[in-house]
Amino acid sequence: MHPGLALLLALMMASPLGAQAPEFVQAEVAAPKGRDRDPAWPIAARLSGPTDRYVHGIMGNIPPWTMLEVRAVACGACRHGFEGATVVLPATLVFEDIAPRLWDVTGDGRPEIVVVETDVDRGARLAVWSYSDRGADLTRLAATPFIGRPQRWLAPVGVGDFDGDGRVEIAYVDRPHLARELVLVRLEGDRLVELARSPGFSGHRMGDTTITAAVRTCPEGAVLLLPDGDWQRLLAVRLVGGALVAADQGAMTGRALARAKPC
């Protein structure tokens, strides 16, 4: 091999630009009641376009991304419906995330795309995107404010009706290695409205390529499961009277989350 080519390959493997786009994440959300299940249901999404224009390294070897790709699954019969779309972020933004989440946050039975976006000067924010099955486009429905400083990140940890009022909340941990604050927001029109915030939670450790959290959905309602800020205890969290209430589920061991998830 030519020495110059060997050097180029080595640099590509060491750089985010040498990373390959991950597999598409497929939605598991059924079509709304009363609607025929057409080929636009479900959808799949992924982040792509690795970049080195923002350096943080919070997720190990997962780079920041420049593109969000969404496509319909098994859409060979589509005519005028949604087949797929791609969003390319401007030079000041990246997707700083493990994968897009296909969560129904509007309650209409179809998934939105929840992802972390980061501004190179202002840090991370949580964003909700939607797709239109009437045309190949993606729209950012709402986003939280940026944290305010670069190299500051947030970890999405779950979605569910955590207070039992019939509406969906999105949960994330603001700076899981620093502030360690659990935040619940709800989509209200074109805004993500903060409902509650409390310190003492995590869900991600420096360099991890996964987020450690789950939602337990049982007859009594949805409960968020995640580690405390010191990764010593597993906590089960609900929203009660506008406040976050945590119940200790035992030591945060390797299989604690899997044991606590079933009803």
Side-chain angles (χ1 to χ4, degrees):
M1 180 182 293
H2 189 279
L5 179 58
L7 176 60
L8 176 61
L9 291 174
L11 288 172
M12 288 181 64
M13 288 187 289
S15 164
L17 299 179
Q20 293 185 347
E23 296 296 319
F24 278 89
V25 177
Q26 185 166 325
E28 297 180 357
V29 180
K33 293 180 180 179
R35 177 189 178 114
D36 292 334
R37 190 175 180 84
D38 63 35
W41 302 89
I43 64 165
R46 71 174 179 179
L47 301 175
S48 62
T51 181
D52 59 1
R53 69 190 182 204
Y54 182 75
V55 179
H56 193 188
I58 204 74
M59 297 176 295
N61 62 359
I62 298 177
W65 311 94
T66 60
M67 293 186 287
L68 169 64
E69 299 179 57
V70 178
R71 71 181 185 189
V73 176
C75 199
C78 288
R79 294 182 180 178
H80 303 294
F82 178 86
E83 294 189 19
T86 299
V87 168
V88 180
L89 291 179
T92 57
L93 287 176
V94 298
F95 292 111
E96 191 181 13
D97 211 339
I98 291 163
R101 290 152 203 84
L102 299 171
W103 290 345
D104 177 16
V105 301
T106 62
D108 66 355
R110 60 186 293 169
E112 283 71 46
I113 302 102
V114 179
V115 69
V116 179
E117 298 176 359
T118 295
D119 184 276
V120 297
D121 295 320
R122 295 178 289 173
R125 69 179 178 185
L126 189 76
V128 177
W129 290 78
S130 72
Y131 66 96
S132 169
D133 58 359
R134 301 300 179 189
D137 64 330
L138 287 164
T139 303
R140 186 190 289 113
L141 291 181
T144 63
F146 292 107
I147 291 173
R149 294 179 58 185
Q151 283 73 53
R152 296 295 184 268
W153 186 70
L154 61 85
V157 290
V159 65
D161 179 8
F162 297 114
D163 59 0
D165 68 350
R167 294 179 293 174
V168 172
E169 295 84 43
I170 306 173
Y172 68 90
V173 179
D174 180 357
R175 292 158 290 173
H177 325 108
L178 296 172
R180 302 175 186 177
E181 293 180 335
L182 178 61
V183 183
L184 260 62
V185 296
R186 181 181 293 140
L187 182 65
E188 301 279 4
D190 61 354
R191 297 189 304 139
L192 286 174
V193 177
E194 184 172 315
L195 305 176
R197 177 184 291 260
S198 180
F201 300 89
S202 186
H204 185 267
R205 290 180 286 201
M206 294 282 288
D208 280 1
T209 57
T210 59
I211 293 172
T212 302
V215 175
R216 182 173 66 204
T217 304
C218 301
E220 63 271 20
V223 176
L224 179 66
L225 301 167
L226 76 169
D228 69 4
D230 296 323
W231 284 78
Q232 297 300 306
R233 312 299 295 178
L234 178 66
L235 304 176
V237 184
R238 294 202 67 193
L239 182 63
V240 180
L244 293 169
V245 177
D248 193 316
Q249 303 295 291
M252 185 61 210
T253 59
R255 291 188 51 79
L257 192 65
R259 289 197 298 268
K261 191 173 180 181
C263 297

